[in-house]
């Protein structure tokens, strides 16, 4: 009657905990799978709790979706902590790590024969900083909760971009806006199921409070009159691109070429060479490119260019005629950039681009 699409379970490992530990075959899961109604709706797990064996990301039964905190932490380290660390310092998330998370976290789901869509990718949830606060505060500011600022997470992988809290400094505000956009793009375009926290698309702030469960006031209320119109338009553009193209199909990619020599997916350095060997694990690597030969919905190949560095990076384009569909360095993400194979395309600092091939290269 109420058109409920499904359920999200808090601290979900308790549902599968038996006398011998957590089990994906526990009675509760079996009952859900056999129910004629519940077996057809969405079941989403927060796959951790504080009990024994409480961290179970990837361990739930087939059919369940799971919050993926490894995606969250890797994105924060690569983009946010990377911006804080400087050009020669490690971000804490290598290129191998970022690729694993962008591609559905195969280490968690593929071995269990579960589809990439079962990974719920997010950077912000109802717990912790909002997206805007993630790039505006180095420390939590929970004094209003009357627990002497001791509540809430202290390890947020955040960066205030040079000033703690509100700022009118153009250098600070530009970097904050750019980081918000690139994090939204990574979340919405990655392989898996994206989750956005309400308000992040309009720049909602909780003034640094990362545990506002007790604040039924302007701290948590979304101020629609103060919404960031550019950020909202950017998010709408991203959602449209995902629906139109679905850059990554809901399948596990092999990285192997077909009979025509087309790779379903391949990863490249900015100079146009294939990413391999130690380059995957280089601790300060900030740029990489993904050529998706077989996207989910696009009828022609797609190209993703990532530059988490502090300086503009120039990428060598693969063969073909390319048209940019997204540039996160722009306020609303729109881009008219074009280029042919072999040309060099600049990607601004702390941003990414999405391009689509418009013509096959001449034989």
């Amino acid at each position: 009657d109420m058109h409920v699409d499904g359920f999200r379970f808090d601290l979900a490992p308790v549902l599968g905990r038996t006398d011998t530990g957590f089990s994906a075959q526990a009675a509760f899961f079996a009952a859900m799978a056999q129910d004629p109604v519940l077996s057809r709706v969405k079941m989403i797990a927060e796959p951790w709790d504080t009990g024994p064996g409480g961290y179970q990301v990837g361990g739930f039964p087939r059919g369940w979706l799971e919050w993926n905190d490894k995606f969250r932490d890797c994105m924060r380290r690569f983009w946010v902590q990377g911006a804080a660390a400087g050009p020669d310092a490690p971000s804490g998330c290598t290129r191998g790590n970022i690729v694993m998370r962008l591609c559905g976290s195969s280490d968690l789901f593929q071995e269990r024969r579960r589809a990439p869509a079962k990974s719920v990718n997010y950077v912000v949830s109802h717990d912790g900083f909002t997206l805007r606060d993630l790039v505006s505060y180095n420390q939590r500011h929970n004094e209003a909760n009357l627990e002497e600022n001791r509540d809430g997470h202290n390890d947020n992988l955040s960066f205030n971009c040079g000033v703690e809290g509100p700022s009118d400094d153009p250098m600070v505000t530009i970097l904050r806006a750019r980081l918000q956009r690139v994090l939204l793009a990574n979340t919405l375009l990655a392989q898996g199921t994206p989750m956005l926290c309400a308000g992040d698309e309009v720049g909602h702030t909780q003034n640094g409070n990362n545990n506002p469960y007790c604040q039924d006031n302007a701290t948590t209320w979304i101020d629609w009159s103060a919404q960031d119109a550019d950020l909202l338009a950017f998010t709408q553009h991203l959602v449209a691109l995902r629906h139109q193209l679905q850059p990554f199909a809901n399948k596990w990619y092999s990285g192997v070429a077909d009979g025509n020599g087309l790779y379903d997916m391949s990863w490249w350095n900015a100079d146009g060479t294939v990413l391999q060997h130690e380059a995957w694990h280089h601790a300060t690597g900030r740029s990489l490119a993904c050529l998706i030969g077989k996207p989910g919905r696009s009828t022609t190949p797609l190209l993703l260019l990532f530059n988490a560095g502090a300086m503009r990076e120039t990428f060598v384009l693969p063969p073909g005629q390319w048209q940019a569909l997204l540039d996160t360095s722009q306020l609303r993400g729109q881009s008219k950039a074009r280029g042919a194979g072999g040309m060099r395309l600049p990607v601004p600092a702390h941003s990414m681009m999405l391009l689509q091939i418009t013509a096959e290269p001449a034989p």
Side-chain angles (χ1 to χ4, degrees):
D1 291 337
M2 298 179 66
H3 304 281
V4 173
D5 292 321
F7 303 89
R8 179 266 189 188
F9 293 84
D10 196 61
L11 308 172
V14 71
L15 304 175
R17 188 168 282 115
T18 69
D19 292 340
T20 57
F22 178 85
S23 172
Q25 287 76 46
F28 179 83
F29 297 136
M32 296 284 274
Q34 295 169 16
D35 188 278
V37 175
L38 296 179
S39 62
R40 299 196 301 270
V41 300
K42 297 178 179 67
M43 295 295 173
I44 303 173
E46 180 191 42
W48 50 79
D49 67 13
T50 59
Y55 188 77
Q56 293 294 332
V57 178
F60 277 70
R62 295 179 69 179
W64 282 67
L65 287 80
E66 300 180 40
W67 279 24
N68 188 348
D69 64 329
K70 292 186 181 295
F71 181 96
R72 175 198 65 195
D73 293 349
C74 187
M75 295 302 152
R76 290 188 180 193
R77 288 190 173 101
F78 190 72
W79 293 103
V80 182
Q81 292 290 288
D88 299 319
S91 67
C93 182
T94 66
R95 282 181 283 194
N97 295 147
I98 198 79
V99 167
M100 182 74 75
R101 301 307 155 214
L102 286 168
C103 294
S105 294
S106 60
D107 58 330
L108 301 174
F109 296 96
Q110 186 176 14
E111 289 185 2
R112 296 177 172 88
R113 298 182 179 180
R114 299 175 64 199
K118 301 309 176 184
S119 172
V120 175
N121 300 328
Y122 70 104
V123 174
V124 171
S125 70
H126 64 277
D127 290 324
F129 283 141
T130 67
L131 182 63
R132 180 175 170 182
D133 289 356
L134 181 68
V135 297
S136 302
Y137 295 91
N138 284 350
Q139 308 295 332
R140 65 193 178 200
H141 294 271
N142 298 354
E143 291 81 4
N145 297 349
L146 303 180
E147 295 188 39
E148 300 181 2
N149 205 33
R150 293 176 300 189
D151 62 308
H153 292 293
N154 197 35
D155 183 17
N156 297 287
L157 301 174
S158 62
F159 175 43
N160 65 17
C161 297
V163 176
E164 188 75 355
S167 174
D168 294 325
D169 185 330
M171 297 297 291
V172 172
T173 57
I174 288 172
L175 178 56
R176 288 177 177 177
R178 189 169 289 192
L179 289 174
Q180 288 176 78
R181 292 194 296 270
V182 80
L183 289 169
L184 285 168
N186 275 253
T187 302
L188 278 164
L189 299 182
Q191 192 174 25
T193 300
M195 181 179 79
L196 299 184
C197 185
D200 283 350
E201 77 283 9
V202 294
H204 174 60
T205 178
Q206 293 169 174
N207 301 308
N209 192 325
N210 75 349
N211 191 36
Y213 71 99
C214 56
Q215 301 295 331
D216 184 11
N217 50 47
T219 300
T220 53
W221 300 342
I222 297 174
D223 185 355
W224 300 106
S225 65
Q227 65 180 278
D228 184 333
D230 288 327
L231 188 60
L232 177 58
F234 174 83
T235 307
Q236 291 169 330
H237 181 50
L238 273 178
V239 172
L241 286 174
R242 181 179 176 94
H243 279 293
Q244 175 188 349
L245 304 173
Q246 192 184 342
F248 295 99
N250 186 29
K251 66 177 183 180
W252 297 112
Y253 285 86
S254 67
V256 176
D258 62 17
N260 297 318
L262 178 66
Y263 289 85
D264 58 1
M265 181 172 61
S266 54
W267 292 88
W268 303 77
N269 294 300
D271 63 4
T273 59
V274 176
L275 193 64
Q276 56 185 342
H277 304 310
E278 69 279 355
W280 287 101
H281 310 291
H282 197 270
T284 58
R286 296 285 198 271
S287 63
L288 70 162
C290 179
L291 178 58
I292 309 174
K294 297 182 179 180
R297 294 199 184 108
S298 173
T299 57
T300 57
L302 299 174
L303 181 66
L304 291 165
L305 307 177
F306 302 88
N307 178 21
M311 303 294 290
R312 184 179 67 178
E313 182 71 76
T314 301
F315 286 79
V316 176
L317 295 175
Q321 299 292 328
W322 295 92
Q323 168 68 58
L325 304 177
L326 174 73
D327 179 355
T328 67
S329 71
Q330 302 300 309
L331 286 176
R332 299 197 170 199
Q334 306 289 340
S335 175
K336 296 182 180 179
R338 293 176 177 269
M343 290 180 58
R344 296 180 178 273
L345 181 67
V347 177
H350 310 296
S351 68
M352 62 174 285
M353 294 182 70
L354 169 65
L355 299 95
Q356 184 179 36
I357 201 168
T358 59
E360 295 294 337

